[in-house]
Amino acid sequence: MVDGVGLPSPSSATESGPRWQSPPGTPAGPPPTDRALRVGVGGPVGSGKTALVAALCRVLAGRVRLAVVTNDIYTTEDADFLRAAGVLDPVRIRAVETGCCPHTAIRDDITANLDAVEDLEAELGRLDLILVESGGDNLTATFSYGLIDRQIFVIDVAGGDKVPRKGGPGVANSDLLVINKTDLAPLVGADLEVMARDAAAMRGERADRPVLFTNLRSDTGAADVADWVLAQLPSPAHPR
């Protein structure tokens, strides 16, 4: 099955359901009404997390009161990229240098990220949305729901069409799975229909946990991700 932009739509999950299941975690609750919605963007190294954050800023910056927290191990590389790209006022971007494996700062000891989020809210006033980008990790990376309210997990086509069926908590349980770099499929011999099928099987094809395909070099699919983010907000968005 192919959707309106030429990218595959997930097919039906297998009757037996997902073949991989993450340990039980705290499910996503209702969106907060007393503070900004916090959306985590995680995924393996090079999958396109920063490109997705940049694309979301371009689409959403004039529609919601938005800020961003980035994570890198020893640098401010991702925050510097976003500032240089001019996708958001630099005062709305904070960089966290984790000094450790990226998953530690988004799942195990979230103090530095919570401080960055709270500093943004204290300095900028009421916000609608804060994007928290993880440093590049692997398929085991996942956010603590003590830090974020919704999770986007980004994988890419360059690793081959086997990646979704390898599973992991991000692939199986994130609120939104993004499969990026669809333009590379013919170059690496990846079948997007296979990736859609296996992603649906891993995720149980739940309507509240969709899969979207993107090519962020051309912003293909970015608007669909932005629409999903907007749908998570508890009330109509306000211009920043």
Side-chain angles (χ1 to χ4, degrees), residues 1-228:
M1 186 186 305
V2 178
D3 68 20
V5 294
L7 300 176
S9 299
S11 58
S12 296
T14 59
E15 291 183 3
S16 60
R19 291 180 287 117
W20 185 93
Q21 182 62 49
S22 71
T26 304
T33 58
D34 59 342
R35 60 165 174 77
L37 181 78
R38 301 168 186 170
V39 176
V41 180
V45 176
S47 58
K49 298 180 296 300
T50 308
L52 178 60
V53 170
L56 290 174
C57 288
R58 284 191 289 269
V59 175
L60 297 176
R63 302 170 67 181
V64 300
R65 296 170 295 195
L66 172 65
V68 173
V69 174
T70 66
N71 281 247
D72 281 297
I73 299 177
Y74 297 120
T75 70
T76 60
E77 180 82 16
D78 291 342
D80 294 341
F81 172 84
L82 294 174
R83 294 186 187 110
V87 296
L88 204 60
D89 187 329
V91 302
R92 294 177 174 269
I93 301 169
R94 289 288 188 279
V96 171
E97 293 182 53
T98 64
C100 57
C101 293
H103 64 263
T104 302
I106 64 169
R107 184 182 65 209
D108 303 328
D109 182 357
I110 60 176
T111 306
N113 275 287
L114 279 177
D115 286 346
V117 166
E118 291 170 358
D119 286 349
L120 283 167
E121 292 179 310
E123 294 176 21
L124 300 175
R126 180 62 190 265
L127 298 170
D128 298 307
L129 174 66
I130 299 178
L131 301 174
V132 181
E133 181 196 348
S134 172
D137 211 302
N138 54 46
L139 293 177
T140 67
T142 186
F143 284 83
S144 164
Y145 278 107
L147 172 62
I148 53 83
D149 305 296
R150 301 289 186 271
Q151 303 194 40
I152 299 174
F153 197 73
V154 186
I155 59 176
D156 70 275
V157 171
D161 54 28
K162 65 182 181 296
V163 176
R165 64 178 173 267
K166 284 180 173 288
V171 170
N173 293 335
S174 59
D175 299 293
L176 173 67
L177 177 64
V178 172
I179 301 178
N180 188 32
K181 303 184 184 179
T182 55
D183 55 314
L184 297 183
L187 301 179
V188 299
D191 187 328
L192 297 182
E193 294 287 352
V194 167
M195 298 187 81
R197 180 201 68 203
D198 290 346
M202 287 293 170
R203 296 170 67 77
E205 201 176 21
R206 286 175 45 179
D208 62 335
R209 295 195 305 183
V211 179
L212 295 175
F213 285 76
T214 59
N215 169 13
L216 295 172
R217 291 192 66 184
S218 64
D219 276 352
T220 301
D224 293 330
V225 180
D227 286 344
W228 179 88

